[in-house]
Amino acid sequence: MRVARFAAVAVVTIAVLGAAAPIRAAAAPDARALYVEYCQLCHGAALEGYAADNAPSLSSPTFRASASTLFLQTAIERGRAGTAMAGFGKSVGGPLDPVEVDALVDFIRGGAGAPPVLPPRASKGDVAKGAHVYAAHCESCHGTAARRGNAVHLANPMFLASASDAYLRLAVVEGRPGTPMEAWEGKLAPPEIEDVVAYLRSLARPLPAAPVLPPSPAPPLPVVLNPGGTPPDFTLRLGRYAAVADVAAAYAEKRRMVIIDARPTSDYLRMHIPGAISVPYFDMRGLDTVPNDGTWVVAYCVCPHEESGRVLDELRKRGYANTAILDEGFFVWATQGHPVEAADGQLPIAAPPARPAAFTPVPAVSPRS
Ligand code: HEC
Ligand code: HEC
């Protein structure tokens, strides 16, 4: 079963890449420019991670030495539904074509080439014992099956579909130098490591369906919510942030406002605040439709401030008078039970990670220098 699911991801990714590569092979994309535009705000200028939302390092030597091409392509193309990592592939409503995804994969590798394929070795550990190991040693950072902690959500179905047992084992044994993930070799007995890998594998679930893409161009949505309503009266923290409680109250009272989803459209298609319009942080042409007449405009993301912050800055640059960021972000909105419109079969939302991360990652080390 698990092998079949993993194979399905492989086939989809390869099929997408295979189909598009010949058409776009002409101009090699500028991977650094793509990274700066789309990824740096969370993964950091030197790929060290933790610039926002506890996004993991993409530069730790053990990550680079074990993440296969397919692992990286799948993470970037499909994202990790239910976390801040959106799907960036055009196939799911993101901005990147397969050639650009591949350019980013090479960029993350730092020119080191594909790592050797890890010999597959399924864990024969004991799931129940592994659950105890996990609760004692891992849960404080990685959270539970249903709740993300401060570190990568290991129960995420997209993650488990692309991370083999060999990949998981190696990460546990060697850790991720330069991050809080220590090497557990010598601290856990080898059978305990096998047990915790077996436990992680037992958390794998079927993948959520890729969202159905709207026709292109998408039919225009009404931009202003409740055009006849009275304006809200927000008090902004630090002149920028409107609390979820205040925005939810204004929403319930049918006040006049515009709500902007600043995430990649792939995330918007999966789940959004009903009535919000999609204006991704990297393509703000949609702002041209927003009336500049004093109507309140509230932007949100999951991060919870970086993507929405870019939209807010652009609105203010354009002279919009009443603008705010949804302070705690979309996950808090959703987990508090405020209205959310979700595509069929989408994942429940992992709870938001705490931020900022309470550590300073050491500078990136090149794995092959
Ligand atoms: C809004 C913040 C954000 C942005 C923007 C973002 N990421 Fe991520 N990314 C994350 C988070 C958070 C995770 C971990 C997901 C989780 O919680 O499990 C992640 C995971 C990943 C992973 C998997 C790493 C691992 O250890 O499993 C890769 C690869 C990755 N991102 C690449 C990218 C690339 C390339 C871009 C730009 C195209 C990008 N990300 C943009 C937040 C972000
Ligand atoms: C102190 C916090 C902490 C603890 C405790 C911890 N981890 Fe981690 N772990 C992390 C962080 C942070 C990362 C991501 C590191 C990075 O940025 O590359 C990570 C990464 C991983 C990864 C690789 C994920 C990926 O996307 O490639 C695995 C697998 C993993 N941890 C398993 C475990 C297991 C199993 C345990 C318990 C034995 C454990 N961790 C304990 C913080 C922790």
Side-chain angles (χ1 to χ4, degrees):
M1 274 293 281
R2 278 163 206 138
V3 175
R5 281 205 301 275
F6 181 51
V9 179
V11 170
V12 170
T13 310
I14 289 163
V16 168
L17 292 164
I23 311 168
R24 299 183 172 93
D30 179 347
R32 169 163 290 282
L34 292 172
Y35 181 82
V36 169
E37 181 170 12
Y38 298 113
C39 324
Q40 177 169 305
L41 71 172
C42 294
H43 289 286
L47 295 89
E48 73 282 18
Y50 309 95
D53 200 42
N54 296 305
S57 163
L58 300 176
S59 65
S60 83
T62 57
F63 176 69
R64 283 187 173 168
S66 60
S68 68
T69 299
L70 186 59
F71 179 96
L72 293 171
Q73 284 169 339
T74 309
I76 300 169
E77 174 94 22
R78 294 281 315 263
R80 301 268 169 83
T83 78
M85 179 65 195
F88 283 86
K90 282 207 165 127
S91 63
V92 296
L96 302 177
D97 67 36
V99 174
E100 291 170 322
V101 171
D102 274 7
L104 282 167
V105 168
D106 288 346
F107 180 72
I108 291 169
R109 291 246 166 75
V117 175
L118 299 176
R121 182 160 66 81
S123 168
K124 296 202 175 65
D126 182 306
V127 173
K129 284 185 188 157
H132 286 294
V133 176
Y134 186 85
H137 299 292
C138 322
E139 192 177 304
S140 56
C141 292
H142 288 287
T144 64
R147 178 185 53 77
R148 190 194 195 272
N150 283 349
V152 186
H153 199 218
L154 303 174
N156 188 279
M158 288 305 302
F159 172 71
L160 287 172
S162 47
S164 65
D165 285 9
Y167 177 93
L168 298 172
R169 184 185 294 113
L170 196 76
V172 179
V173 169
E174 296 186 355
R176 295 272 189 254
T179 82
M181 178 65 189
E182 58 188 312
W184 289 87
E185 186 166 41
K187 293 171 196 141
L188 290 175
E192 290 179 305
I193 293 180
E194 286 309 306
D195 293 344
V196 82
V197 171
Y199 169 69
L200 290 177
R201 182 55 58 201
S202 78
L203 300 176
R205 296 288 178 269
L207 295 183
V212 178
L213 302 185
S216 180
L221 293 172
V223 174
V224 180
L225 270 176
N226 315 309
T230 50
D233 186 18
F234 295 134
T235 308
L236 303 188
R237 186 173 71 81
L238 300 173
R240 277 173 89 80
Y241 308 109
V244 162
D246 295 349
V247 178
Y251 188 91
E253 289 161 11
K254 299 200 180 311
R255 302 295 189 103
R256 176 186 168 91
M257 59 182 157
V258 175
I259 300 186
I260 294 181
D261 187 317
R263 303 171 300 163
T265 307
S266 50
D267 263 355
Y268 174 85
L269 292 173
R270 288 193 327 97
M271 217 174 271
H272 59 257
I273 298 178
I277 59 167
S278 169
V279 182
Y281 63 95
F282 47 79
D283 178 2
M284 294 195 237
R285 284 173 297 176
L287 293 186
D288 300 344
T289 64
V290 177
N292 190 351
D293 60 359
T295 301
W296 269 98
V297 186
V298 180
Y300 72 85
C301 62
V302 167
C303 344
H305 294 159
E306 276 67 21
E307 296 173 344
S308 48
R310 292 199 176 186
V311 169
L312 184 91
D313 292 342
E314 177 65 20
L315 284 165
R316 291 187 174 181
K317 207 169 89 194
R318 295 187 186 193
Y320 283 73
N322 295 316
T323 56
I325 292 172
L326 185 67
D327 197 357
E328 303 93 320
F330 178 68
F331 281 164
V332 169
W333 172 281
T335 46
Q336 289 185 355
H338 302 306
V340 166
E341 197 169 307
D344 282 348
Q346 289 309 310
L347 286 177
I349 297 167
R355 63 187 297 281
F359 78 103
T360 314
V362 301
V365 191
S366 167
R368 284 177 177 71
S369 60

